Amino acid sequence: MPQSISSAFRTSSRPGAGQAVPPHSSLLTPSEGGCRRRFVNRLAVLFLAVAAAGLVDDGVAWRRLVADHHTDVSRREEVVIDPQTRLLLNTRTSLDVGGQPDAREIRLFDGEILLRQGLGAHLLVVRTPHGRILSSDARLAIRRLGDSTVLSVLHGSAQVQSAGSSGAARQVSAGQRVVIGPQGAGDLQPVQEADVAWINGEIVVHAMKPA
């Protein structure tokens, strides 16, 4: 199994590639989002009333509104956590960033992220309702949609621990993917193009069989 397949999915510099949705960059600071959070807190009572009326689907819209970082349909964002760790958020993605400087934690509510860690990066944990993903020197594509989380390892390796599991974490190496659902982590599979095509702004179309 190759140690890295990142060259196949690196953001392209070719004219026109990945330019449909240019990323917005932001630097993570302790005070980031403070003003926005105060404003959002003032809307909490009203929004909770709307949610109680059944107008919000499973609280997704509320989480997107109060998240540290969220992107809309036509926007991507790059978040610099520290000099060795960067996140690229695909469209319609929301997450919180917490933890300590030497052990960051990402809570991915929905959408897709590309995690890029350089040599000497600190431990980072990505949490979803389905479990935890741990890495310290890797390039990972993580997708949270519906009732599952999909991890694709493009470079390095990561550890996966399903929610509620007391056993040892499973290692996922470069070129492998795993789907984590309500029943735990599935079998290891090769990385699929459809899971990482968004990184270069591509759309994968699967041919339909003739009727």
Side-chain angles (χ1 to χ4, degrees):
M1 179 66 66
Q3 292 302 309
S4 172
I5 61 170
S6 58
S7 59
F9 304 109
R10 189 178 295 116
T11 302
S12 174
S13 60
R14 294 180 287 105
Q19 296 179 3
V21 185
H24 167 74
S25 297
S26 61
L27 178 64
L28 187 67
T29 64
S31 61
E32 183 179 79
C35 293
R36 180 166 61 86
R37 282 184 176 276
R38 287 192 293 271
F39 172 75
V40 168
N41 287 339
R42 295 173 183 176
L43 300 177
V45 175
L46 175 61
F47 199 94
L48 288 175
V50 174
L55 302 179
V56 179
D57 184 15
D58 296 329
V60 172
W62 170 247
R63 290 196 301 268
R64 289 177 61 83
L65 183 62
V66 301
D68 291 339
H69 301 274
H70 69 275
T71 56
D72 297 321
V73 174
S74 59
R75 182 172 176 267
R76 298 199 298 184
E77 179 180 352
E78 183 176 45
V79 178
V80 180
I81 294 181
D82 58 47
Q84 289 79 35
T85 307
R86 293 171 178 260
L87 296 175
L88 178 62
L89 283 63
N90 195 12
T91 60
R92 298 188 63 80
T93 296
S94 58
L95 57 83
D96 279 349
V97 180
Q100 302 300 317
D102 59 347
R104 289 291 192 181
E105 180 175 292
I106 307 297
R107 289 188 175 273
L108 180 60
F109 299 127
D110 62 342
E112 301 170 288
I113 61 172
L114 172 66
L115 167 63
R116 294 173 288 187
Q117 294 176 294
L119 185 64
H122 295 297
L123 174 68
L124 186 141
V125 179
V126 179
R127 289 183 181 270
T128 76
H130 310 110
R132 304 191 306 158
I133 299 168
L134 302 87
S135 69
S136 57
D137 181 12
R139 183 177 287 112
L140 313 175
I142 304 173
R143 182 184 189 190
R144 162 78 203 285
L145 293 174
D147 60 355
S148 65
T149 298
V150 181
L151 165 66
S152 299
V153 180
L154 310 182
H155 173 80
S157 64
Q159 303 289 324
V160 172
Q161 189 163 32
S162 302
S165 173
S166 59
R170 177 187 295 186
Q171 178 165 312
V172 186
S173 302
Q176 296 179 325
R177 76 190 288 267
V178 64
V179 179
I180 314 164
Q183 306 304 318
D187 296 332
L188 297 179
Q189 304 170 339
V191 169
Q192 296 182 5
E193 183 181 1
D195 291 331
V196 294
W198 69 269
I199 297 171
N200 289 333
E202 300 171 358
I203 298 177
V204 176
V205 178
H206 296 282
M208 298 291 292
K209 293 183 179 181

